[in-house]
Amino acid sequence: MQKDTLLGLFKNRNYAYLFGAQLLSQIGSVTGLTAFAFYMLDKFSTQPAYATLTEMMYSLPTLFLFFLTGVAADRFDRQKIAVSCDTVNAGLSLLLLGAIAWGWMPLVFAVLFIRSAVSKMFHPANAALVRGVLNPAQMPAAMGMNQMLMSAFVLLGTGLGAVSYWHSGILGSVAIDMVSFVISAVLIMRCNIPQEVRQPNGPASWRQLKLKQVGQDFVSGLRYVRHHSIVLSLLAGILILGLANGGGSVMYLFSLKYKLAPDTYESLQVGMTAVLGAGMLLGSIVSVRLARKIPLYGMIIASFFLGAFTHLVQAMASDTMTFMALYLLYALSIPLCNVAFFGWLAQVTEARMMGRVQALIQPIMMLTFTAMQAWIAYAFPAHMSVESIFYVVGAAELALGVYYLLVLPPLAKKRAEQTAKQAA
């Protein structure tokens, strides 16, 4: 079996340990998050603001730390960062157990915020380690494994959290979360990763970290993106993608509640989650096979045209069966994009810049994601219909597909010519 196949990846012991650590961390996080949501709804059913505050504690750290997370992953020991993040999160989970038992909500929210902030430091470092222990040809398969993992948790994650909460309560669920962080740290510690992968920019220590140096490193990351056309083009498209994702975060629920099934929308929403997970899981398997046969930029372009088609047609759907079938088709397009997008981004980005490039993705998307949500909050339903949201999202995806169609193939051809010249 070739090493760029899914199972072939696990012949690399370092990757196997890193994947296992990610799997366990994801199990703990999904279990803890879902159980915490149920806990808030049960304990504070008359105070819905607490549930909103909980979501904010998970998302706000992105705005405060985006300039630091990538810099840290590129300047300091990536393996130590990942291990330290897991270890600190295990300790914070223990503190969270005490805060919940005490019942002092300000401390609970503070711990949730800090734990989420620490997790934001983990992901760029872990992604850069995976990029370092694999060769570029293996990255699409690795992204396929990530997609399959994500799909499984979309499909089963809520159920895992619910079962954990029902049988173990909130304290038991947080304890599971804590143990998962501990085992994840142990697995990453067992990796034997070369120094040049852990610190591609040379030795450095946290005592050398100064605000001026952080700013210089962050700016150098922006300059790197600006001078590398493929990376710049891929990240520029995320601004448009943020609009689509911002609308997609609410439009399905709105369509069910206000148009297709106002009396049964809650149960249908659960069914849609299962459809999404199943479609993404199937799409992940197909995408890894396609990545070995067609150019990655072709998969990216096709995914956005497919997404645009499904959303524009969904706007006109008048029954739930058609709506669900189109949603399944859209679910297939998600891994088609993600496997190719992140696989190609990892191939064309230098190892020394991987952390900073990865760390830019989420804040860039949040700009237009938040703007789209704010616009919908203002305009719906007084100034726009449910169908209008689908049309806007479909138009954004169509525009992104056209943009990538015009930009990416010439850039890929140019890069292939440069690579051939260097090899000659």
Side-chain angles (χ1 to χ4, degrees):
M1 181 177 289
Q2 296 180 350
K3 288 185 178 180
D4 60 346
T5 61
L6 290 178
L7 294 179
L9 292 172
F10 292 94
K11 293 180 179 180
N12 183 325
R13 191 179 71 166
N14 286 327
Y15 176 78
Y17 283 148
L18 290 172
F19 181 82
Q22 183 183 0
L23 173 63
L24 285 166
S25 182
Q26 190 78 6
I27 289 175
S29 296
V30 169
T31 300
L33 284 174
T34 306
F36 209 87
F38 285 134
Y39 169 73
M40 285 297 192
L41 291 173
D42 285 346
K43 189 173 179 63
F44 304 104
S45 57
T46 60
Q47 296 172 284
Y50 277 159
T52 304
L53 281 172
T54 301
E55 291 297 321
M56 289 176 64
M57 293 306 102
Y58 289 116
S59 60
L60 277 177
T62 301
L63 299 177
F64 291 97
L65 294 174
F66 73 91
F67 64 93
L68 178 60
T69 55
V71 170
D74 286 340
R75 178 159 291 276
F76 304 110
D77 191 316
R78 293 164 172 173
Q79 188 173 12
K80 288 183 179 178
I81 291 174
V83 172
S84 298
C85 287
D86 275 336
T87 304
V88 171
N89 273 336
L92 289 170
S93 296
L94 184 61
L95 180 59
L96 183 60
L97 285 172
I100 293 171
W102 187 8
W104 191 32
M105 295 311 296
L107 179 58
V108 170
F109 288 130
V111 173
L112 287 175
F113 180 88
I114 297 171
R115 204 175 73 155
S116 177
V118 173
S119 295
K120 296 295 186 289
M121 301 290 293
F122 173 87
H123 293 296
N126 186 68
L129 286 174
V130 171
R131 164 68 176 81
V133 301
L134 298 176
N135 64 56
Q138 292 177 305
M139 288 309 300
M143 293 305 104
M145 287 302 304
N146 287 346
Q147 276 296 295
M148 291 172 68
L149 182 62
M150 185 188 301
S151 306
F153 281 109
V154 169
L155 187 60
L156 304 172
T158 302
L160 285 173
V163 170
S164 172
Y165 181 66
W166 293 335
H167 290 279
S168 306
I170 184 61
L171 296 179
S173 298
V174 175
I176 293 172
D177 205 355
M178 180 180 66
V179 171
S180 74
F181 283 126
V182 172
I183 300 175
S184 176
V186 171
L187 287 174
I188 297 173
M189 288 174 64
R190 289 180 61 106
C191 292
N192 183 19
I193 301 175
Q195 183 69 26
E196 61 269 20
V197 172
R198 292 159 56 187
Q199 290 185 281
N201 294 293
S205 70
W206 288 97
R207 285 175 293 186
Q208 300 171 334
L209 182 64
K210 297 179 181 178
L211 186 59
K212 182 179 179 180
Q213 184 65 58
V214 171
Q216 290 174 344
D217 283 0
F218 181 70
V219 170
S220 71
L222 295 178
R223 287 176 181 152
Y224 175 83
V225 170
R226 184 165 63 89
H227 289 103
H228 289 75
S229 301
I230 294 179
V231 178
L232 177 61
S233 299
L234 289 173
L235 294 188
I238 291 176
L239 284 169
I240 306 175
L241 183 59
L243 291 174
N245 287 350
S249 65
V250 295
M251 66 185 187
Y252 301 108
L253 181 60
F254 284 2
S255 187
L256 291 175
K257 180 174 175 58
Y258 298 109
K259 179 183 176 182
L260 297 176
D263 297 326
T264 57
Y265 74 94
E266 292 176 329
S267 59
L268 285 173
Q269 183 69 17
V270 174
M272 286 189 69
T273 302
V275 169
L276 178 64
M280 287 177 62
L281 189 60
L282 177 59
S284 300
I285 298 170
V286 172
S287 297
V288 173
R289 293 181 177 275
L290 283 176
R292 298 199 295 268
K293 297 181 179 180
I294 65 175
L296 295 180
Y297 63 80
M299 292 173 60
I300 296 172
I301 295 165
S303 71
F304 287 113
F305 281 133
L306 179 58
F309 169 77
T310 57
H311 287 138
L312 292 172
V313 177
Q314 267 185 318
M316 298 178 282
S318 57
D319 62 274
T320 55
M321 287 298 294
T322 303
F323 190 79
M324 289 288 195
L326 290 167
Y327 190 58
L328 177 61
L329 188 61
Y330 169 67
L332 294 172
S333 75
I334 296 175
L336 189 67
C337 171
N338 288 348
V339 168
F341 184 97
F342 290 104
W344 201 26
L345 187 66
Q347 287 181 352
V348 300
T349 303
E350 295 177 32
R352 65 186 181 90
M353 288 290 181
M354 193 64 197
R356 275 166 281 188
V357 171
Q358 285 278 346
L360 284 172
I361 293 172
Q362 193 169 12
I364 290 173
M365 184 177 293
M366 281 189 67
L367 291 173
T368 47
F369 181 94
T370 305
M372 183 66 172
Q373 286 193 321
W375 179 56
I376 292 172
Y378 164 75
F380 181 84
H383 304 292
M384 67 184 307
S385 63
V386 173
E387 293 85 357
S388 298
I389 304 176
F390 279 89
Y391 288 136
V392 170
V393 169
E397 290 170 329
L398 182 61
L400 188 51
V402 171
Y403 167 72
Y404 280 149
L405 178 63
L406 295 175
V407 171
L408 294 185
L411 290 177
K413 182 181 179 181
K414 182 179 178 181
R415 183 171 187 270
E417 290 173 349
Q418 291 174 342
T419 302
K421 278 184 181 180
Q422 292 171 357

